[in-house]
Amino acid sequence: MALVVAFVAGLVFGLGLIVAGMTNPAKILGFLDVAGKWDPSLALVMAGAVAVGGVAFALANRRTMSALGSPLQLPAGRTIDVRLVGGSLLFGIGWGLAGFCPGPAIVALGAGYVKSGVFVVAMLLGMGAFELIERNRTRNESGAPDATSA
Amino acid sequence: MTIDWSAFTPWSAIVGGVVIGLAVALFVLVNGRVAGISGIVGGMLHPRAGDVAWRLAFIAGLFLAPKVYATVAPQPSATIDASYPVLIVAGFLVGVGTRYAGGCTSGHGVCGLSRLSPRSLVATLSFMAAGFVTVYVVRHVIGT
């Protein structure tokens, strides 16, 4: 059952991205180009998503179990550090260069765009590089905390 | 700053955003998980028993969304101007960056802000700022 829900959640998420126009890098770059002719659409996508998501997380915060009876796995990390800010800055540079972030790139790949496939492969390599670096680091300084993920 | 009224699509943006919010709501309330796509994808690179199938199912949903959408309406086209070398550099930066940051536009931007997480607010402001500066440099400093 959890697998069906995960599939449906991914599907609905992807449909939302398509409806919102967020799978088109030109539209993302139009939002990021504040000094040019600015397309504010992305801000409204975020507002719509956060309005609904805000209600959902407010409900989730009052529970300890999901509807399927598994424990809620919400990110517990609270530290604001160089990893968080530095990582976000690197991500933002890549986002600004291509106009893709992870979700829309996967959806655009599903739509058959070869270029988004190239982006996704490079993204997986970047994620793999993170794994290798972190694996070496935790081996060298044993007991270092795991990366928290949001 | 001038608004590009010919490109601005307020209604489809809000409706699409609400649909994304519904997917996030479904995932957290029924499965108890945060719909953070970089985390879902990246987690497959250190696979643990029982932790892979749900990730693949979510990604399969994303991947098949265009096919499902196309059964109802014509698929919107995407304009990908970046060259292959730029896409490779950009993809690599997005991969490394989102893993160090512990989230991307979905995990920090949508879910994190929905949870009122200060960490996610800092992350979102950081990647937005980097995106603004990058596009400014590419279009208005280097480009003509």
Side-chain angles (χ1 to χ4, degrees):
Chain A
M1 186 60 193
L3 286 183
V4 175
V5 175
F7 174 78
V8 172
L11 180 65
V12 174
F13 199 113
L15 291 173
L17 287 171
I18 295 170
V19 170
M22 296 293 103
T23 53
N24 182 4
K27 202 155 175 62
I28 305 296
L29 297 177
F31 171 77
L32 293 175
D33 189 8
V34 280
K37 292 188 90 188
W38 188 50
D39 176 1
S41 302
L42 189 145
L44 293 184
V45 179
M46 296 269 296
V50 169
V52 179
V55 174
F57 280 102
L59 290 171
N61 280 335
R62 292 196 214 144
R63 298 154 183 260
T64 52
M65 300 292 248
S66 73
L68 289 178
S70 53
L72 281 188
Q73 306 197 33
L74 300 179
R78 299 197 62 81
T79 41
I80 293 171
D81 54 11
V82 178
R83 290 168 68 100
L84 179 77
V85 176
S88 295
L89 292 176
L90 288 181
F91 162 41
I93 294 170
W95 193 38
L97 285 175
F100 271 136
C101 53
I106 294 169
V107 177
L109 176 59
Y113 287 96
V114 177
K115 277 188 161 182
S116 54
V118 171
F119 178 92
V120 168
V121 170
M123 179 178 87
L124 290 172
L125 288 174
M127 291 176 168
F130 164 84
E131 294 292 335
L132 286 178
I133 296 166
E134 289 304 294
R135 213 166 287 168
N136 283 327
R137 202 176 63 86
T138 45
R139 196 180 297 150
N140 295 340
E141 11 171 329
S142 59
D146 249 6
T148 51
S149 67
Chain B
M1 178 187 293
T2 48
I3 291 183
D4 187 351
W5 293 105
S6 63
F8 186 31
T9 49
W11 294 111
S12 60
I14 291 174
V15 171
V18 166
V19 173
I20 292 169
L22 291 174
V24 166
L26 173 74
F27 206 45
V28 72
L29 292 174
V30 180
N31 278 20
R33 287 187 180 275
V34 169
I37 294 167
S38 59
I40 292 173
V41 175
M44 291 200 304
L45 299 179
H46 54 252
R48 289 187 297 258
D51 190 52
V52 175
W54 70 271
R55 296 175 189 273
L56 283 173
F58 188 98
I59 294 164
L62 279 178
F63 184 81
L64 291 174
K67 301 274 182 287
V68 172
Y69 186 88
T71 62
V72 186
Q75 228 180 103
S77 64
T79 308
I80 308 170
D81 286 330
S83 65
Y84 283 103
V86 169
L87 285 167
I88 290 168
V89 172
F92 193 86
L93 289 174
V94 169
V96 176
T98 53
R99 294 304 283 150
Y100 272 104
C104 57
T105 352
S106 52
H108 280 311
V110 174
C111 296
L113 296 188
S114 295
R115 296 169 52 232
L116 307 175
S117 156
R119 202 175 122 78
S120 290
L121 178 63
V122 170
T124 304
L125 292 175
S126 302
F127 68 67
M128 289 265 177
F132 289 139
V133 170
T134 302
V135 172
Y136 182 80
V137 170
V138 169
R139 290 200 173 170
H140 304 287
V141 178
I142 301 172
T144 46

